[in-house]
Short mmCIF file of all heavy atoms in Angstrom, two decimals:
data_model
loop_
_atom_site.label_atom_id
_atom_site.label_comp_id
_atom_site.label_asym_id
_atom_site.label_seq_id
_atom_site.Cartn_x
_atom_site.Cartn_y
_atom_site.Cartn_z
N GLY W 354 -5.72 18.08 0.52
CA GLY W 354 -4.77 17.16 -0.11
C GLY W 354 -4.43 15.99 0.79
O GLY W 354 -3.57 15.19 0.45
N PHE W 355 -5.11 15.86 1.93
CA PHE W 355 -4.85 14.78 2.87
C PHE W 355 -6.13 13.98 3.10
O PHE W 355 -7.23 14.46 2.83
CB PHE W 355 -4.36 15.33 4.22
CG PHE W 355 -3.03 16.01 4.13
CD1 PHE W 355 -2.95 17.38 3.93
CD2 PHE W 355 -1.85 15.28 4.20
CE1 PHE W 355 -1.72 18.01 3.83
CE2 PHE W 355 -0.63 15.90 4.09
CZ PHE W 355 -0.56 17.27 3.91
N ILE W 356 -5.96 12.76 3.60
CA ILE W 356 -7.10 11.93 3.95
C ILE W 356 -6.99 11.49 5.40
O ILE W 356 -5.90 11.45 5.97
CB ILE W 356 -7.25 10.72 3.01
CG1 ILE W 356 -5.97 9.87 2.98
CG2 ILE W 356 -7.59 11.16 1.60
CD1 ILE W 356 -6.08 8.60 2.17
N ASP W 357 -8.14 11.17 5.99
CA ASP W 357 -8.15 10.76 7.39
C ASP W 357 -7.86 9.27 7.51
O ASP W 357 -7.59 8.59 6.51
CB ASP W 357 -9.48 11.14 8.06
CG ASP W 357 -10.66 10.28 7.63
OD1 ASP W 357 -10.53 9.39 6.76
OD2 ASP W 357 -11.77 10.48 8.19
N LYS W 358 -7.95 8.74 8.72
CA LYS W 358 -7.61 7.33 8.95
C LYS W 358 -8.56 6.36 8.26
O LYS W 358 -8.23 5.19 8.08
CB LYS W 358 -7.57 7.04 10.46
CG LYS W 358 -8.91 7.08 11.17
CD LYS W 358 -8.74 6.79 12.64
CE LYS W 358 -10.08 6.73 13.35
NZ LYS W 358 -9.90 6.45 14.77
N ASN W 359 -9.74 6.85 7.84
CA ASN W 359 -10.70 6.00 7.14
C ASN W 359 -10.66 6.17 5.62
O ASN W 359 -11.51 5.64 4.92
CB ASN W 359 -12.11 6.29 7.66
CG ASN W 359 -12.24 5.98 9.13
OD1 ASN W 359 -11.75 4.97 9.62
ND2 ASN W 359 -12.88 6.88 9.87
N GLY W 360 -9.70 6.96 5.13
CA GLY W 360 -9.59 7.18 3.70
C GLY W 360 -10.46 8.28 3.16
O GLY W 360 -10.61 8.44 1.96
N LYS W 361 -11.11 9.08 4.03
CA LYS W 361 -11.97 10.17 3.60
C LYS W 361 -11.12 11.43 3.38
O LYS W 361 -10.28 11.77 4.19
CB LYS W 361 -13.04 10.46 4.66
CG LYS W 361 -14.01 11.56 4.24
CD LYS W 361 -15.25 11.57 5.08
CE LYS W 361 -16.26 12.63 4.75
NZ LYS W 361 -16.10 13.44 3.61
N GLU W 362 -11.40 12.09 2.27
CA GLU W 362 -10.71 13.34 1.95
C GLU W 362 -11.01 14.39 3.03
O GLU W 362 -12.16 14.55 3.44
CB GLU W 362 -11.19 13.84 0.59
CG GLU W 362 -10.57 15.12 0.14
CD GLU W 362 -11.08 15.55 -1.22
OE1 GLU W 362 -12.03 14.97 -1.73
OE2 GLU W 362 -10.51 16.50 -1.75
N ILE W 363 -9.99 15.11 3.48
CA ILE W 363 -10.15 16.18 4.46
C ILE W 363 -10.24 17.49 3.70
O ILE W 363 -9.37 17.83 2.90
CB ILE W 363 -8.98 16.21 5.47
CG1 ILE W 363 -8.92 14.88 6.22
CG2 ILE W 363 -9.14 17.39 6.43
CD1 ILE W 363 -7.69 14.73 7.11
N GLU W 364 -11.34 18.25 3.95
CA GLU W 364 -11.61 19.48 3.22
C GLU W 364 -11.82 20.63 4.19
O GLU W 364 -12.08 20.41 5.37
CB GLU W 364 -12.89 19.32 2.38
CG GLU W 364 -12.81 18.19 1.40
CD GLU W 364 -14.14 17.88 0.75
OE1 GLU W 364 -15.19 17.90 1.43
OE2 GLU W 364 -14.14 17.60 -0.46
N SER W 365 -11.71 21.86 3.67
CA SER W 365 -12.00 23.02 4.50
C SER W 365 -13.44 22.89 5.00
O SER W 365 -14.33 22.47 4.26
CB SER W 365 -11.79 24.32 3.74
OG SER W 365 -12.62 24.38 2.60
N GLY W 366 -13.64 23.22 6.24
CA GLY W 366 -14.96 23.11 6.84
C GLY W 366 -15.19 21.79 7.56
O GLY W 366 -16.16 21.66 8.31
N ASP W 367 -14.33 20.82 7.36
CA ASP W 367 -14.50 19.53 8.03
C ASP W 367 -14.23 19.64 9.52
O ASP W 367 -13.42 20.47 9.96
CB ASP W 367 -13.58 18.46 7.45
CG ASP W 367 -14.11 17.84 6.18
OD1 ASP W 367 -15.30 18.02 5.88
OD2 ASP W 367 -13.34 17.14 5.50
N ILE W 368 -14.89 18.81 10.28
CA ILE W 368 -14.68 18.68 11.72
C ILE W 368 -14.02 17.33 11.93
O ILE W 368 -14.53 16.31 11.46
CB ILE W 368 -16.00 18.79 12.50
CG1 ILE W 368 -16.66 20.13 12.24
CG2 ILE W 368 -15.74 18.57 14.00
CD1 ILE W 368 -18.08 20.24 12.77
N LEU W 369 -12.87 17.34 12.60
CA LEU W 369 -12.09 16.13 12.81
C LEU W 369 -12.03 15.77 14.29
O LEU W 369 -11.99 16.66 15.13
CB LEU W 369 -10.65 16.32 12.32
CG LEU W 369 -10.43 16.88 10.93
CD1 LEU W 369 -8.95 17.07 10.68
CD2 LEU W 369 -11.02 15.97 9.88
N LYS W 370 -12.00 14.48 14.55
CA LYS W 370 -11.72 13.98 15.90
C LYS W 370 -10.30 13.45 15.87
O LYS W 370 -9.96 12.63 15.02
CB LYS W 370 -12.68 12.90 16.31
CG LYS W 370 -12.48 12.46 17.79
CD LYS W 370 -13.31 11.26 18.18
CE LYS W 370 -14.77 11.56 18.13
NZ LYS W 370 -15.59 10.42 18.60
N THR W 371 -9.46 13.93 16.81
CA THR W 371 -8.08 13.50 16.85
C THR W 371 -7.95 12.18 17.58
O THR W 371 -8.90 11.71 18.19
CB THR W 371 -7.18 14.54 17.55
OG1 THR W 371 -7.49 14.54 18.94
CG2 THR W 371 -7.36 15.92 16.95
N GLU W 372 -6.76 11.61 17.54
CA GLU W 372 -6.51 10.34 18.24
C GLU W 372 -6.67 10.50 19.74
O GLU W 372 -6.82 9.52 20.45
CB GLU W 372 -5.13 9.80 17.89
CG GLU W 372 -3.98 10.66 18.35
CD GLU W 372 -2.63 10.12 17.92
OE1 GLU W 372 -2.43 8.89 17.99
OE2 GLU W 372 -1.79 10.94 17.53
N PHE W 373 -6.65 11.74 20.25
CA PHE W 373 -6.82 12.00 21.68
C PHE W 373 -8.23 12.44 22.04
O PHE W 373 -8.48 13.00 23.10
CB PHE W 373 -5.80 13.06 22.13
CG PHE W 373 -4.40 12.71 21.77
CD1 PHE W 373 -3.74 13.39 20.77
CD2 PHE W 373 -3.73 11.68 22.41
CE1 PHE W 373 -2.44 13.07 20.41
CE2 PHE W 373 -2.44 11.34 22.07
CZ PHE W 373 -1.79 12.03 21.06
N GLU W 374 -9.17 12.25 21.08
CA GLU W 374 -10.59 12.57 21.25
C GLU W 374 -10.88 14.07 21.25
O GLU W 374 -11.95 14.50 21.63
CB GLU W 374 -11.17 11.93 22.51
CG GLU W 374 -11.10 10.41 22.52
CD GLU W 374 -11.91 9.76 21.38
OE1 GLU W 374 -13.06 10.15 21.15
OE2 GLU W 374 -11.35 8.86 20.73
N ASP W 375 -9.89 14.91 20.90
CA ASP W 375 -10.14 16.34 20.73
C ASP W 375 -10.87 16.56 19.42
O ASP W 375 -10.79 15.73 18.50
CB ASP W 375 -8.82 17.12 20.71
CG ASP W 375 -8.06 17.04 22.03
OD1 ASP W 375 -8.71 16.99 23.08
OD2 ASP W 375 -6.82 17.03 21.98
N VAL W 376 -11.57 17.67 19.31
CA VAL W 376 -12.28 18.01 18.09
C VAL W 376 -11.66 19.30 17.52
O VAL W 376 -11.46 20.26 18.25
CB VAL W 376 -13.78 18.22 18.36
CG1 VAL W 376 -14.51 18.71 17.12
CG2 VAL W 376 -14.41 16.93 18.86
N VAL W 377 -11.33 19.27 16.22
CA VAL W 377 -10.78 20.44 15.54
C VAL W 377 -11.56 20.66 14.25
O VAL W 377 -12.13 19.73 13.70
CB VAL W 377 -9.27 20.29 15.23
CG1 VAL W 377 -8.46 20.16 16.51
CG2 VAL W 377 -9.00 19.13 14.30
N SER W 378 -11.57 21.90 13.79
CA SER W 378 -12.18 22.18 12.49
C SER W 378 -11.10 22.67 11.54
O SER W 378 -10.11 23.27 11.95
CB SER W 378 -13.30 23.21 12.61
OG SER W 378 -12.80 24.44 13.09
N ILE W 379 -11.30 22.42 10.25
CA ILE W 379 -10.34 22.78 9.22
C ILE W 379 -10.82 24.06 8.52
O ILE W 379 -11.97 24.16 8.11
CB ILE W 379 -10.19 21.65 8.18
CG1 ILE W 379 -9.71 20.36 8.85
CG2 ILE W 379 -9.25 22.07 7.05
CD1 ILE W 379 -8.33 20.42 9.47
N LYS W 380 -9.91 25.02 8.41
CA LYS W 380 -10.22 26.31 7.77
C LYS W 380 -9.30 26.52 6.58
O LYS W 380 -8.15 26.06 6.59
CB LYS W 380 -10.01 27.46 8.75
CG LYS W 380 -10.76 27.34 10.05
CD LYS W 380 -12.17 27.73 9.89
CE LYS W 380 -12.88 27.70 11.25
NZ LYS W 380 -14.24 28.05 11.17
N PHE W 381 -9.78 27.23 5.58
CA PHE W 381 -8.96 27.57 4.43
C PHE W 381 -8.01 28.70 4.82
O PHE W 381 -8.36 29.60 5.58
CB PHE W 381 -9.85 28.01 3.26
CG PHE W 381 -9.08 28.50 2.07
CD1 PHE W 381 -8.42 27.60 1.25
CD2 PHE W 381 -8.99 29.84 1.79
CE1 PHE W 381 -7.69 28.04 0.16
CE2 PHE W 381 -8.26 30.29 0.70
CZ PHE W 381 -7.61 29.38 -0.11
N HIS W 382 -6.79 28.67 4.28
CA HIS W 382 -5.80 29.72 4.52
C HIS W 382 -5.13 30.05 3.20
O HIS W 382 -4.71 29.15 2.47
CB HIS W 382 -4.76 29.21 5.53
CG HIS W 382 -3.86 30.28 6.04
ND1 HIS W 382 -2.76 30.71 5.34
CD2 HIS W 382 -3.92 31.03 7.16
CE1 HIS W 382 -2.15 31.67 6.04
NE2 HIS W 382 -2.84 31.88 7.15
N ASN W 383 -5.04 31.34 2.87
CA ASN W 383 -4.47 31.75 1.58
C ASN W 383 -3.01 31.34 1.39
O ASN W 383 -2.61 31.01 0.28
CB ASN W 383 -4.58 33.26 1.39
CG ASN W 383 -5.99 33.70 1.06
OD1 ASN W 383 -6.75 32.95 0.48
ND2 ASN W 383 -6.33 34.92 1.45
N PHE W 384 -2.22 31.35 2.44
CA PHE W 384 -0.80 31.02 2.31
C PHE W 384 -0.52 29.54 2.54
O PHE W 384 0.12 28.89 1.73
CB PHE W 384 0.02 31.87 3.29
CG PHE W 384 1.50 31.62 3.19
CD1 PHE W 384 2.23 32.12 2.12
CD2 PHE W 384 2.16 30.88 4.15
CE1 PHE W 384 3.60 31.88 2.02
CE2 PHE W 384 3.51 30.63 4.06
CZ PHE W 384 4.24 31.14 2.99
N TYR W 385 -1.02 28.98 3.65
CA TYR W 385 -0.73 27.60 3.99
C TYR W 385 -1.66 26.59 3.31
O TYR W 385 -1.41 25.41 3.32
CB TYR W 385 -0.82 27.40 5.50
CG TYR W 385 0.24 28.14 6.27
CD1 TYR W 385 -0.09 29.21 7.08
CD2 TYR W 385 1.58 27.78 6.17
CE1 TYR W 385 0.87 29.89 7.78
CE2 TYR W 385 2.55 28.46 6.88
CZ TYR W 385 2.20 29.52 7.67
OH TYR W 385 3.16 30.19 8.36
N GLY W 386 -2.77 27.06 2.78
CA GLY W 386 -3.75 26.17 2.16
C GLY W 386 -4.85 25.81 3.14
O GLY W 386 -6.01 25.83 2.80
N PHE W 387 -4.46 25.49 4.37
CA PHE W 387 -5.44 25.20 5.41
C PHE W 387 -4.75 25.28 6.76
O PHE W 387 -3.53 25.31 6.86
CB PHE W 387 -6.05 23.80 5.23
CG PHE W 387 -5.10 22.68 5.58
CD1 PHE W 387 -5.13 22.10 6.84
CD2 PHE W 387 -4.18 22.21 4.67
CE1 PHE W 387 -4.25 21.10 7.17
CE2 PHE W 387 -3.29 21.20 4.99
CZ PHE W 387 -3.34 20.63 6.25
N TYR W 388 -5.57 25.31 7.79
CA TYR W 388 -5.08 25.20 9.17
C TYR W 388 -6.21 24.61 9.99
O TYR W 388 -7.37 24.58 9.55
CB TYR W 388 -4.60 26.53 9.74
CG TYR W 388 -5.65 27.60 9.86
CD1 TYR W 388 -6.31 27.83 11.07
CD2 TYR W 388 -6.00 28.39 8.77
CE1 TYR W 388 -7.28 28.82 11.18
CE2 TYR W 388 -6.96 29.38 8.86
CZ TYR W 388 -7.59 29.60 10.07
OH TYR W 388 -8.54 30.58 10.18
N ALA W 389 -5.89 24.12 11.16
CA ALA W 389 -6.91 23.55 12.04
C ALA W 389 -7.10 24.48 13.23
O ALA W 389 -6.15 25.14 13.68
CB ALA W 389 -6.48 22.17 12.52
N VAL W 390 -8.31 24.53 13.74
CA VAL W 390 -8.63 25.32 14.92
C VAL W 390 -9.13 24.35 15.98
O VAL W 390 -10.08 23.61 15.76
CB VAL W 390 -9.73 26.37 14.61
CG1 VAL W 390 -10.06 27.17 15.86
CG2 VAL W 390 -9.29 27.29 13.48
N ASP W 391 -8.45 24.37 17.13
CA ASP W 391 -8.85 23.46 18.20
C ASP W 391 -9.99 24.05 19.03
O ASP W 391 -10.46 25.15 18.75
CB ASP W 391 -7.67 23.03 19.07
CG ASP W 391 -7.10 24.15 19.93
OD1 ASP W 391 -7.73 25.23 20.05
OD2 ASP W 391 -6.01 23.94 20.50
N GLU W 392 -10.39 23.33 20.05
CA GLU W 392 -11.53 23.75 20.88
C GLU W 392 -11.30 25.07 21.61
O GLU W 392 -12.24 25.75 21.98
CB GLU W 392 -11.87 22.63 21.88
CG GLU W 392 -12.35 21.37 21.19
CD GLU W 392 -12.33 20.15 22.09
OE1 GLU W 392 -11.47 20.05 23.00
OE2 GLU W 392 -13.18 19.27 21.87
N ASP W 393 -10.03 25.43 21.81
CA ASP W 393 -9.68 26.69 22.48
C ASP W 393 -9.49 27.84 21.49
O ASP W 393 -9.11 28.93 21.87
CB ASP W 393 -8.40 26.50 23.30
CG ASP W 393 -8.58 25.50 24.43
OD1 ASP W 393 -9.69 25.42 25.00
OD2 ASP W 393 -7.61 24.75 24.69
N GLY W 394 -9.70 27.57 20.20
CA GLY W 394 -9.54 28.59 19.17
C GLY W 394 -8.11 28.77 18.69
O GLY W 394 -7.82 29.68 17.94
N GLU W 395 -7.20 27.90 19.12
CA GLU W 395 -5.82 28.00 18.68
C GLU W 395 -5.63 27.37 17.31
O GLU W 395 -6.22 26.35 17.01
CB GLU W 395 -4.90 27.32 19.71
CG GLU W 395 -4.87 28.04 21.03
CD GLU W 395 -3.84 27.45 21.97
OE1 GLU W 395 -2.78 27.01 21.50
OE2 GLU W 395 -4.12 27.43 23.18
N HIS W 396 -4.77 27.99 16.50
CA HIS W 396 -4.48 27.48 15.15
C HIS W 396 -3.41 26.41 15.25
O HIS W 396 -2.41 26.58 15.94
CB HIS W 396 -4.00 28.61 14.25
CG HIS W 396 -5.02 29.69 14.10
ND1 HIS W 396 -4.76 30.85 13.44
CD2 HIS W 396 -6.31 29.78 14.49
CE1 HIS W 396 -5.82 31.61 13.44
NE2 HIS W 396 -6.79 30.99 14.07
N LEU W 397 -3.61 25.34 14.53
CA LEU W 397 -2.70 24.22 14.52
C LEU W 397 -2.26 23.89 13.09
O LEU W 397 -3.00 24.11 12.15
CB LEU W 397 -3.37 22.98 15.12
CG LEU W 397 -4.05 23.15 16.47
CD1 LEU W 397 -4.87 21.92 16.78
CD2 LEU W 397 -3.01 23.39 17.54
N PHE W 398 -1.08 23.32 12.94
CA PHE W 398 -0.52 22.74 11.72
C PHE W 398 0.17 23.69 10.75
O PHE W 398 1.03 23.25 10.03
CB PHE W 398 -1.52 21.95 10.88
CG PHE W 398 -2.24 20.87 11.62
CD1 PHE W 398 -3.55 20.59 11.29
CD2 PHE W 398 -1.61 20.10 12.57
CE1 PHE W 398 -4.22 19.58 11.95
CE2 PHE W 398 -2.28 19.10 13.22
CZ PHE W 398 -3.60 18.83 12.91
N PRO W 399 -0.16 24.96 10.63
CA PRO W 399 0.33 25.69 9.47
C PRO W 399 1.84 25.80 9.35
O PRO W 399 2.35 25.94 8.25
CB PRO W 399 -0.29 27.08 9.62
CG PRO W 399 -0.67 27.18 11.04
CD PRO W 399 -0.96 25.80 11.50
N GLU W 400 2.58 25.69 10.42
CA GLU W 400 4.03 25.83 10.33
C GLU W 400 4.76 24.50 10.45
O GLU W 400 5.98 24.45 10.41
CB GLU W 400 4.52 26.80 11.39
CG GLU W 400 3.96 28.20 11.15
CD GLU W 400 4.32 29.18 12.24
OE1 GLU W 400 5.02 28.80 13.19
OE2 GLU W 400 3.87 30.32 12.14
N GLU W 401 4.04 23.42 10.65
CA GLU W 401 4.67 22.11 10.78
C GLU W 401 5.14 21.59 9.42
O GLU W 401 4.61 21.98 8.38
CB GLU W 401 3.69 21.10 11.40
CG GLU W 401 3.34 21.41 12.83
CD GLU W 401 2.41 20.40 13.44
OE1 GLU W 401 2.25 19.32 12.86
OE2 GLU W 401 1.80 20.71 14.46
N ALA W 402 6.11 20.71 9.45
CA ALA W 402 6.60 20.09 8.22
C ALA W 402 5.52 19.21 7.61
O ALA W 402 4.65 18.68 8.30
CB ALA W 402 7.85 19.27 8.52
N ASP W 403 5.59 19.06 6.30
CA ASP W 403 4.60 18.29 5.55
C ASP W 403 4.44 16.87 6.10
O ASP W 403 3.32 16.38 6.24
CB ASP W 403 5.01 18.25 4.09
CG ASP W 403 3.89 17.84 3.17
OD1 ASP W 403 2.75 18.32 3.35
OD2 ASP W 403 4.15 17.03 2.27
N ASP W 404 5.54 16.21 6.43
CA ASP W 404 5.47 14.84 6.97
C ASP W 404 4.75 14.80 8.31
O ASP W 404 4.02 13.87 8.61
CB ASP W 404 6.87 14.23 7.10
CG ASP W 404 7.47 13.90 5.74
OD1 ASP W 404 6.72 13.78 4.76
OD2 ASP W 404 8.71 13.79 5.68
N GLU W 405 4.96 15.81 9.16
CA GLU W 405 4.31 15.86 10.46
C GLU W 405 2.80 16.06 10.29
O GLU W 405 2.01 15.45 11.01
CB GLU W 405 4.88 16.98 11.31
CG GLU W 405 6.31 16.73 11.75
CD GLU W 405 6.87 17.90 12.53
OE1 GLU W 405 6.26 18.26 13.56
OE2 GLU W 405 7.90 18.44 12.10
N ILE W 406 2.41 16.90 9.36
CA ILE W 406 0.98 17.13 9.10
C ILE W 406 0.35 15.84 8.60
O ILE W 406 -0.71 15.43 9.06
CB ILE W 406 0.78 18.25 8.05
CG1 ILE W 406 1.27 19.58 8.60
CG2 ILE W 406 -0.69 18.35 7.64
CD1 ILE W 406 1.34 20.67 7.55
N ARG W 407 1.01 15.18 7.65
CA ARG W 407 0.50 13.92 7.09
C ARG W 407 0.30 12.89 8.21
O ARG W 407 -0.73 12.25 8.31
CB ARG W 407 1.45 13.38 6.04
CG ARG W 407 0.96 12.11 5.36
CD ARG W 407 1.91 11.59 4.29
NE ARG W 407 2.05 12.56 3.21
CZ ARG W 407 3.13 13.29 2.98
NH1 ARG W 407 4.18 13.18 3.75
NH2 ARG W 407 3.17 14.13 1.98
N GLU W 408 1.31 12.77 9.08
CA GLU W 408 1.25 11.83 10.21
C GLU W 408 0.09 12.16 11.14
O GLU W 408 -0.69 11.29 11.51
CB GLU W 408 2.57 11.87 10.98
CG GLU W 408 2.59 11.07 12.25
CD GLU W 408 2.78 9.58 12.03
OE1 GLU W 408 3.29 9.21 10.95
OE2 GLU W 408 2.40 8.81 12.90
N THR W 409 -0.06 13.42 11.48
CA THR W 409 -1.11 13.85 12.39
C THR W 409 -2.50 13.63 11.79
O THR W 409 -3.38 13.07 12.42
CB THR W 409 -0.94 15.34 12.76
OG1 THR W 409 0.35 15.51 13.37
CG2 THR W 409 -2.02 15.82 13.71
#
Side-chain angles (χ1 to χ4, degrees):
F355 295 94
I356 56 175
D357 74 357
K358 68 181 184 180
N359 299 317
K361 182 165 179 7
E362 180 180 9
I363 300 172
E364 302 170 320
S365 59
D367 278 347
I368 300 170
L369 310 176
K370 185 187 295 184
T371 70
E372 64 183 319
F373 306 108
E374 299 298 314
D375 295 326
V376 174
V377 298
S378 62
I379 301 296
K380 305 281 184 180
F381 175 75
H382 191 277
N383 285 332
F384 181 75
Y385 294 111
F387 73 96
Y388 63 97
V390 179
D391 69 12
E392 295 165 329
D393 297 325
E395 293 187 35
H396 299 173
L397 309 169
F398 305 145
E400 296 175 2
E401 293 181 16
D403 197 43
D404 288 340
E405 291 177 58
I406 295 170
R407 183 179 297 108
E408 173 79 21
T409 301

